[in-house]
Amino acid sequence: MSKRTSSVLWAALALVWLAALAVRPLYKPDEARYGEIPREMVASGDWLTPRLNGFKYFEKPPLQYWMTALAFKVFGVNDWSARLWAGLAALAGVGVVFGAADRLFSPPAGAYAAAIVASCPLYLLLGQVNTLDMGVTLFLSAAAFAFALAQRPGATVGERLHWMLAFWAACAAAVLTKGLIGIVLPLGTIALYTIGRRDWGLLRRLELARGGLLFLVLAAPWFVAVSLANPEFAYFFFVQEHWLRFTTHIHHHQRPPWFFLPVLALGVWPWLLALVAGWAAALRPPATREFSPAFFLGLWIVVVFGFFSASGSKLPPYILPLVPALAVLGGAFLSEKPRRRLLFAQGLFAAGVAVAIGGVAWYVGTLPDDAYYGLGSGYSPWLAAAAAIALAGAAAGAVLAWRARVRAAVASLAIGAAAALMIGMAGHVVLAPAYSAAPLIASLPRPPSAQAAVFTVDAYDHSIPWSLGRTVTMVRYKDELERATVWEPDKFIPDAAAFARAWTSEREAYAFFAVRDFDRLRRELDVPMTVVARGPRYVIVRKP
């Protein structure tokens, strides 16, 4: 592939990827939460203590908040700039995969690996969503690849130092993005490799003194500063949000031990067979005593998958950090020699999944009008279009593979899957009223003034303050902010009587109620209110 063609493909990928970030409003809970926290940073000028709806929020470190706040400073506060860091991290991750695969193995491993990771559903979709998972995946993957590059056979002393310092810096960035997994997972993989291979000399090549110092200089200052400013931080962050989150079901995200098996299968379905084959090949013990990058990356996948499978808290995005390494191993495997039969089988498998998606599209289109807020039927045509494109790409890939045109087959599978996923994501805008308060708020005859009091009664989601561009007063409903309401109780209304007094005392006031509870609460509260907007999830009232 010529440099000009490569540049055009990278530019097209970046253009489509970044443009798609603005298609739909931020969804609850994660997207709106991780938009609202940096919005409040910019509004308050306090970049040390994260706040969510005005309350101290210590569940995660601040790196992504800072980067998103900078995006708000440059591009304004909007849905696109809120997702920009995740989108840029995803694109950077594709580049990191490309470079790592070519350096650790040889071309065209990099091109194959980049095509794979950019079209894996779990990676592409989370690269369009405002969560912390893509940022931590970028840094964890960079750490794993930097370590493999530092220790690879033939690396000079200078290269080893360069890549080991990059490893420690990437670990620090991962810790500042999502906490201690940023150092636990890389060191856990290194320990497993060292023990499994009995390569004790590896421990002497870790650059513990210089690298450890770099790690502390980058990662520690915020933790020290926020702990000094907020005495409640240390216990909540390190004990509750790490130890108890891993060992208990404190956040009610418990799942069976096998939960991530179907998540991974669906998350990489256009490449499932190729990735499993590449991973299995990498896990074969090397014949020599030299460091094996492939074996290390194979163990990295085992550690990430095993760690989160053992956790008491499981959500699908947790295993995203293993996908780039899988893509590198898959790209290397496909590049070693023509894999015509494997790619042909992969194309048939991907085509079968595309047919299944078409079946889901048909089913969604048959749902009654009262199902899923009456929104599902609008999504059916988008799903059908996505299924058709995925089927075309997979079928063409299978034909090209059968004709031994491996590069064209890889390109066809990747383009078909990525285009289908982008269409499916874009079409999700028709479901936005079920996941965001933004469409309902936009329907108001006039938005609340800056002086108006806004309440959420027995219901709350983070898309409300984000869409309003201001904090709101929560009444009785605490959700994940339960601990924060203990720290700052004056910002919370605990009962109906206190709400009635607050409502009566305000000159201008609005309140959000869940549709299912509105009639009951209206009778219970017995205060004057006028309905100004009603959506599938919320009713908005105004004080007459």
Side-chain angles (χ1 to χ4, degrees), residues 34-90:
Y34 297 130
E36 177 62 14
I37 293 170
R39 187 200 69 79
E40 293 183 34
M41 277 188 172
V42 172
S44 68
D46 180 3
W47 292 47
L48 175 64
T49 302
R51 290 184 177 273
L52 177 60
N53 194 37
F55 291 95
K56 294 179 180 180
Y57 188 80
F58 296 137
E59 286 198 13
K60 299 294 185 291
L63 181 56
Q64 180 154 329
Y65 308 153
W66 291 340
M67 301 309 294
T68 304
L70 288 174
F72 289 162
K73 286 280 193 178
V74 175
F75 300 108
V77 178
N78 54 67
D79 297 325
W80 182 82
S81 55
R83 291 194 182 102
L84 183 59
W85 174 244
L88 290 175

Side-chain angles (χ1 to χ4, degrees), residues 105 140 144-145 147-148 184-199 202 275-276 278-286 290-308 319 321-326 328-329:
F105 302 99
L140 283 173
F145 297 146
F147 185 83
V184 169
L185 294 177
L187 292 186
T189 307
I190 293 170
L192 183 60
Y193 183 95
T194 302
I195 295 169
R197 296 283 292 159
R198 294 183 174 85
D199 187 0
L202 188 60
L275 296 187
V276 170
W279 185 18
L283 286 176
R284 294 174 191 144
E290 290 183 324
F291 180 84
S292 170
F295 189 62
F296 176 79
L297 293 178
L299 291 182
W300 166 255
I301 293 164
V302 171
V303 168
V304 174
F305 190 89
F307 179 87
F308 289 112
I319 60 167
L322 64 77
V323 173
L326 262 181
V328 167
L329 295 179

Side-chain angles (χ1 to χ4, degrees), residues 68-399:
T68 304
L70 288 174
F72 289 162
K73 286 280 193 178
V74 175
F75 300 108
V77 178
N78 54 67
D79 297 325
W80 182 82
S81 55
R83 291 194 182 102
L84 183 59
W85 174 244
L88 290 175
L91 289 172
V94 176
V96 166
V97 162
F98 178 87
D102 268 359
R103 285 175 179 268
L104 291 171
F105 302 99
S106 59
Y112 289 173
I116 289 169
V117 76
S119 56
C120 277
L122 190 63
Y123 190 91
L124 186 150
L125 296 179
L126 286 172
Q128 293 287 308
V129 174
N130 181 32
T131 70
L132 307 183
D133 300 287
M134 189 53 71
V136 78
T137 293
L138 169 63
F139 295 125
L140 283 173
S141 299
F145 297 146
F147 185 83
L149 287 165
Q151 306 302 328
R152 74 192 189 279
T156 67
V157 173
E159 288 175 331
R160 180 168 296 159
L161 175 61
H162 166 81
W163 287 113
M164 282 308 303
L165 291 180
F167 164 80
W168 288 105
C171 288
V175 168
L176 281 173
T177 299
K178 210 172 181 183
L180 296 182
I181 62 167
I183 191 66
V184 169
L185 294 177
L187 292 186
T189 307
I190 293 170
L192 183 60
Y193 183 95
T194 302
I195 295 169
R197 296 283 292 159
R198 294 183 174 85
D199 187 0
W200 311 114
L202 188 60
L203 301 178
R204 295 192 299 271
R205 304 195 298 270
L206 295 182
E207 292 294 339
L208 281 174
R210 286 179 287 193
L213 179 61
L214 176 63
F215 173 83
L216 291 175
V217 167
L218 293 175
W222 177 79
F223 288 97
V224 173
V226 77
S227 297
L228 292 175
N230 302 276
E232 61 273 67
F233 169 80
Y235 176 85
F236 183 86
F237 183 81
F238 291 108
V239 178
Q240 178 169 317
E241 289 305 305
H242 282 79
W243 177 250
L244 294 180
R245 190 185 189 104
F246 184 84
T247 59
T248 72
H249 299 152
I250 188 172
H251 286 291
H252 309 294
H253 295 156
Q254 61 266 35
R255 302 288 190 275
W258 48 263
F259 173 72
F260 288 117
L261 288 173
V263 170
L264 183 59
L266 292 173
V268 301
W269 62 262
W271 304 102
L272 179 61
L273 304 181
L275 296 187
V276 170
W279 185 18
L283 286 176
R284 294 174 191 144
T288 68
R289 300 303 302 170
E290 290 183 324
F291 180 84
S292 170
F295 189 62
F296 176 79
L297 293 178
L299 291 182
W300 166 255
I301 293 164
V302 171
V303 168
V304 174
F305 190 89
F307 179 87
F308 289 112
S309 294
S311 173
S313 180
K314 298 181 181 69
L315 288 174
Y318 287 179
I319 60 167
L320 182 63
L322 64 77
V323 173
L326 262 181
V328 167
L329 295 179
F333 186 76
L334 291 176
S335 69
E336 287 175 359
K337 57 184 179 180
R339 306 286 182 179
R340 181 170 68 91
R341 292 182 179 179
L342 175 63
L343 276 175
F344 176 72
Q346 181 64 73
L348 293 181
F349 177 78
V353 174
V355 171
I357 295 172
V360 173
W362 172 83
Y363 171 75
V364 170
T366 65
L367 292 175
D369 291 341
D370 59 348
Y372 202 68
Y373 308 111
L375 302 172
S377 59
Y379 190 49
S380 178
W382 291 90
L383 267 182
I389 290 176
L391 179 60
V399 171

Side-chain angles (χ1 to χ4, degrees), residues 20-29 31 83 124-125 128-129 357 360 364 372-386 419-436 438-439 536-537:
L21 299 176
V23 170
R24 56 185 176 77
L26 296 191
Y27 281 179
K28 68 173 186 80
E31 282 204 296
R83 291 194 182 102
L124 186 150
L125 296 179
Q128 293 287 308
V129 174
I357 295 172
V360 173
V364 170
Y372 202 68
Y373 308 111
L375 302 172
S377 59
Y379 190 49
S380 178
W382 291 90
L383 267 182
L421 291 166
M422 283 293 188
I423 288 173
M425 178 65 82
H428 216 273
V429 68
V430 304
L431 303 177
Y435 296 96
S436 172
R537 295 177 55 242

Side-chain angles (χ1 to χ4, degrees), residues 450-472:
Q451 294 74 38
V454 180
F455 304 90
T456 57
V457 184
D458 277 10
Y460 171 81
D461 75 57
H462 302 307
S463 70
I464 295 174
W466 165 255
S467 301
L468 288 170
R470 51 163 296 166
T471 60
V472 300

